Amino acid sequence: MVRLSSVAAFIFVSVGRSSSAWSPSSNPLHVLRSVPARHQSARSARLESFRVAAIYSSHDEEAAPASYLPDGIILSHDVHQMNDNKSNNGVWNAAALVGAAALFSASPANAASSDAVPSALVAYGHYFSLLAIMGCVTIERCTVKPNMSIDEEKLLGFADIGYGLFGTLLLVSGYYRAVDYGKGWDFYSHEPIFWLKMAGLGILAGLSLFPTITIIQRTVAIQQGKDLEPMSEKLANRMKSILNAEISAIIVIPITATLMSRGIGYVNDFPTQIVGPVGCGLITAAAVAKYVSEALSWSEDELTETTPNLTDEK
């Protein structure tokens, strides 16, 4: 701040000096006194040879008489241009004065609001949880295959636990961002794309229930020492297709978030705050019912009788 104030003061003084040195003067003798002695005789002769009279314009307005600059004589027909330049110099001087006053009297920057740190932490938790969910789903997608080993089955269980934890963090942080730290619930409730995003999250939650239920069933069987049939190719393919759909949903949902945060599609004269939750709830309920029932009623068309049990490998 001290350096900026010093620079502003220097500029202000420099501009003031330059403008006063080169502005038109109404006293030609003052100009002559500023001219070196060896040139004063020539200047005096030229002054005697030119008799500049006052000129009146067509509107009977008196024009300013001739004025003289250090570099020569300016006759009366150039005086108007000189006056314009003088006005410009005055504008620059005023601008420099205002700038210097603003620098000298500038107050410190406003401190961050009291909820800035919580808002930043909630935003970070929201973004981080989304990335972590993508990581957990990717681990599951890369691990699932027919005839997995016990270690691979356990890895699926750990990845699914992380999926659930980070999914909870995503919902909690999203709630606080929508209600407390974002644009406010009045804004989001009237944003159709917000409810489209919530419907996408509902579908994602429904999709995740099929792998979760399947993994829990198999992990519990392993922990209890029960005979567990290796994962069939049919079940592995079904889980892969669902995990692919989950990855696609995780990629698409942030697009709706960026659109809604900028107010695209915002409507205020339509009961979006009523239609949105109802539609979102119906879509979520349908997705949950579909994939939960499919997971609980899963049956293999063909079972291999000679396939060894995974518990025998322990």
Side-chain angles (χ1 to χ4, degrees), residues 183-299:
K183 291 181 173 62
W185 182 248
D186 290 337
F187 172 82
Y188 293 115
S189 62
H190 289 85
E191 176 58 73
I193 300 181
F194 170 78
W195 296 112
L196 179 63
K197 171 191 172 183
M198 297 305 296
L201 289 174
I203 295 174
L204 176 62
L207 286 168
S208 67
L209 291 177
F210 181 91
T212 296
I213 294 174
T214 303
I215 292 171
I216 290 175
Q217 290 174 339
R218 299 180 68 83
T219 302
V220 169
I222 293 174
Q223 295 296 329
Q224 294 179 353
K226 296 180 179 179
D227 293 339
L228 180 66
E229 295 290 339
M231 183 173 289
S232 64
E233 185 174 356
K234 176 186 176 182
L235 180 57
N237 291 336
R238 180 56 177 160
M239 289 187 65
K240 287 180 181 180
S241 63
I242 291 177
L243 292 171
N244 289 337
E246 291 185 51
I247 293 174
S248 300
I250 295 173
I251 294 174
V252 172
I253 288 174
I255 298 177
T256 62
T258 57
L259 294 176
M260 72 164 190
S261 63
R262 287 158 177 79
I264 297 176
Y266 181 88
V267 291
N268 197 25
D269 54 352
F270 184 80
T272 313
Q273 68 276 17
I274 300 176
V275 178
V278 172
C280 179
L282 292 175
I283 293 174
T284 302
V288 169
K290 171 180 171 54
Y291 292 104
V292 168
S293 61
E294 183 180 359
L296 295 177
S297 61
W298 180 265
S299 62

Side-chain angles (χ1 to χ4, degrees), residues 1-310:
M1 180 63 71
V2 175
R3 292 184 179 180
L4 290 177
S5 301
S6 302
V7 172
F10 174 75
I11 295 175
F12 172 70
V13 173
S14 300
V15 173
R17 288 181 176 178
S18 62
S19 61
S20 61
W22 292 97
S23 58
S25 174
S26 60
N27 186 5
L29 298 179
H30 170 74
V31 176
L32 287 176
R33 284 195 295 269
S34 64
V35 178
R38 62 179 179 274
H39 297 300
Q40 287 192 12
S41 59
R43 291 294 179 91
S44 300
R46 294 173 65 181
L47 285 174
E48 292 297 333
S49 62
F50 288 97
R51 292 290 183 177
V52 181
I55 301 176
Y56 295 90
S57 62
S58 59
H59 299 285
D60 296 330
E61 295 179 356
E62 183 177 0
S67 59
Y68 303 91
L69 288 178
D71 58 349
I73 300 176
I74 305 299
L75 297 180
S76 58
H77 66 272
D78 294 329
V79 170
H80 291 291
Q81 182 178 359
M82 294 297 302
N83 289 334
D84 293 338
N85 294 336
K86 185 175 182 180
S87 300
N88 293 334
N89 291 334
V91 173
W92 284 109
N93 288 340
L97 180 61
V98 172
L103 287 175
F104 283 115
S105 62
S107 59
N110 293 330
S113 58
S114 59
D115 61 347
V117 174
S119 176
L121 293 177
V122 170
Y124 173 78
H126 196 64
Y127 303 145
F128 178 77
S129 61
L130 183 63
L131 295 176
I133 288 173
M134 175 64 84
C136 293
V137 177
T138 303
I139 291 174
E140 293 182 8
R141 175 60 183 84
C142 295
T143 305
V144 170
K145 62 182 179 181
N147 301 321
M148 288 187 295
S149 64
I150 291 294
D151 292 337
E152 290 172 335
E153 294 274 0
K154 291 181 178 180
L155 179 59
L156 278 181
F158 291 134
D160 198 71
I161 291 174
Y163 190 174
L165 293 176
F166 290 118
T168 303
L169 177 61
L170 180 71
L171 293 177
V172 173
S173 60
Y175 169 80
Y176 281 106
R177 279 174 60 82
V179 175
D180 293 336
Y181 301 119
K183 291 181 173 62
W185 182 248
D186 290 337
F187 172 82
Y188 293 115
S189 62
H190 289 85
E191 176 58 73
I193 300 181
F194 170 78
W195 296 112
L196 179 63
K197 171 191 172 183
M198 297 305 296
L201 289 174
I203 295 174
L204 176 62
L207 286 168
S208 67
L209 291 177
F210 181 91
T212 296
I213 294 174
T214 303
I215 292 171
I216 290 175
Q217 290 174 339
R218 299 180 68 83
T219 302
V220 169
I222 293 174
Q223 295 296 329
Q224 294 179 353
K226 296 180 179 179
D227 293 339
L228 180 66
E229 295 290 339
M231 183 173 289
S232 64
E233 185 174 356
K234 176 186 176 182
L235 180 57
N237 291 336
R238 180 56 177 160
M239 289 187 65
K240 287 180 181 180
S241 63
I242 291 177
L243 292 171
N244 289 337
E246 291 185 51
I247 293 174
S248 300
I250 295 173
I251 294 174
V252 172
I253 288 174
I255 298 177
T256 62
T258 57
L259 294 176
M260 72 164 190
S261 63
R262 287 158 177 79
I264 297 176
Y266 181 88
V267 291
N268 197 25
D269 54 352
F270 184 80
T272 313
Q273 68 276 17
I274 300 176
V275 178
V278 172
C280 179
L282 292 175
I283 293 174
T284 302
V288 169
K290 171 180 171 54
Y291 292 104
V292 168
S293 61
E294 183 180 359
L296 295 177
S297 61
W298 180 265
S299 62
E300 300 286 347
D301 296 335
E302 296 180 359
L303 296 177
T304 305
E305 298 180 356
T306 59
T307 303
N309 292 332
L310 290 177

